[in-house]
Amino acid sequence: MDNRFFHQVRMAGIAFEGILSTDGPYLSSRMHGGVALGLAGLRYFQPVCRGIRRVPPRGWWVVKYCDEERIVLPGFDSAATRKLSNEFGVPTLAELSLAFSDHVRREHFFTSPAWDALRRWVTKHPRIAKTFAACTPYLLHWYDRAIVEGKALAL
């Protein structure tokens, strides 16, 4: 297994991985796309067709911000979406709450099993983690928080 992976689960027939990338902690589905954690959300909608490509399907998507479709979730229903939301701390964006603050989205991640896994991963891979510590454009201070919480849990 690649030592940048910190969390792996399978839901509704799709494999999801938490991985460290140049964008910091990242949610990836090799077959369906990926997005940096921190400003990601789950949304049921019809993405706008941009440029010359086929029209994206209406359905559940993991989005960056509110409307940048990143991971298509074919076959997902509200139960599978809730499970993914809870597992990776990616909030569901209802039509009336699309303006979730950046802070709320980040804090949602810090309550998830993926965060617990990332915190354990930082302890196991301190040198690799430190190289990704500067990669925080979307999930601010994840590395420092992992170090502090890891030390507190060790007491």
Side-chain angles (χ1 to χ4, degrees):
M1 182 166 96
D2 187 318
N3 59 7
R4 293 181 306 132
F5 288 86
F6 61 85
H7 194 55
Q8 295 178 311
V9 296
R10 188 169 191 82
M11 292 176 206
I14 300 174
F16 295 95
E17 301 157 335
I19 186 171
L20 267 291
S21 77
T22 56
D23 284 333
Y26 200 82
L27 173 60
S28 175
S29 173
R30 292 180 190 185
M31 297 295 293
H32 300 283
V35 64
L37 289 162
L39 292 183
L42 289 157
R43 184 176 176 200
Y44 187 88
F45 77 125
Q46 171 69 59
V48 175
C49 186
R50 296 179 178 97
I52 307 171
R53 64 177 199 192
R54 69 179 187 85
V55 176
R58 179 172 186 78
W60 282 104
W61 289 83
V62 179
V63 295
K64 182 177 178 184
Y65 307 117
C66 293
D67 62 351
E68 292 182 25
E69 70 274 8
R70 294 303 174 95
I71 305 173
V72 63
L73 301 171
F76 263 56
D77 59 13
S78 58
T81 304
R82 243 185 335 275
K83 189 174 177 184
L84 181 61
S85 174
N86 292 335
E87 191 69 29
F88 281 93
V90 176
T92 301
L93 307 177
E95 291 300 322
L96 297 176
S97 66
L98 290 178
F100 260 118
S101 76
D102 297 351
H103 174 75
V104 169
R105 290 188 199 202
R106 283 190 298 268
E107 288 305 310
H108 196 63
F109 172 73
F110 292 126
T111 65
S112 72
W115 167 243
D116 293 337
L118 177 56
R119 198 175 51 225
R120 286 190 305 273
W121 181 91
V122 167
T123 302
K124 285 177 132 177
H125 304 280
R127 270 188 259 136
I128 298 169
K130 192 165 182 113
T131 65
F132 285 99
C135 302
T136 60
Y138 303 109
L139 194 56
L140 301 173
H141 312 296
W142 66 269
Y143 175 78
D144 296 330
R145 187 168 178 162
I147 295 296
V148 169
E149 288 184 18
K151 287 178 182 175
L153 291 174
L155 296 177

